[in-house]
Amino acid sequence: MLVMTWSWIRRGLFLLLLAAIAQAITEQLRRPSDERTWEGKVAGVVPYDFRPPTPARIKQALWAPEEAFITPHSFGVGWSVNLGRIVYEVKKHAPGGASAPADEV
């Protein structure tokens, strides 16, 4: 019974993801071609970015100690876990912890 429940939850989440992608692409294609940015938010909440990822944007999404624990993906729809912030917080709460976020964390 539990396996069937997880299966339905996975299917539902997958359908929500597909709907968000479709909405984001539709929103961009409705704009004149010179106004398309290929980034924004679906329903004003879920971030998307369909521009080719760059090393700087990947780093900003995955390793930004000064940002929140969850950051927008560097490519695609949704959020990423900010590993830099997690490492900073672990070090900050350890004996002799860090004093401020830094890129070298």
Side-chain angles (χ1 to χ4, degrees):
M1 182 71 173
L2 183 62
V3 173
M4 189 179 352
T5 303
W6 282 114
S7 175
W8 281 102
I9 290 172
R10 281 196 314 261
R11 286 181 189 163
L13 290 174
F14 181 71
L15 290 174
L16 284 173
L17 176 64
L18 286 180
I21 291 170
Q23 176 62 33
I25 291 172
T26 301
E27 176 186 314
Q28 290 296 317
L29 292 176
R30 286 184 177 160
R31 297 178 183 182
S33 61
D34 59 333
E35 293 180 16
R36 293 179 188 151
T37 60
W38 297 104
E39 63 176 322
K41 290 186 176 184
V42 174
V45 178
V46 182
Y48 67 89
D49 193 341
F50 295 125
R51 301 172 297 168
T54 63
R57 286 205 337 266
I58 293 170
K59 182 181 177 189
Q60 183 65 28
L62 299 176
W63 195 268
E66 68 284 350
E67 298 293 330
F69 287 100
I70 305 295
T71 57
H73 278 312
S74 59
F75 181 80
V77 176
W79 296 272
S80 296
V81 175
N82 182 355
L83 300 174
R85 182 62 185 219
I86 292 171
V87 168
Y88 166 72
E89 290 294 329
V90 167
K91 285 186 175 185
K92 182 173 90 173
H93 291 81
S99 59
D103 275 340
E104 298 87 39
V105 175

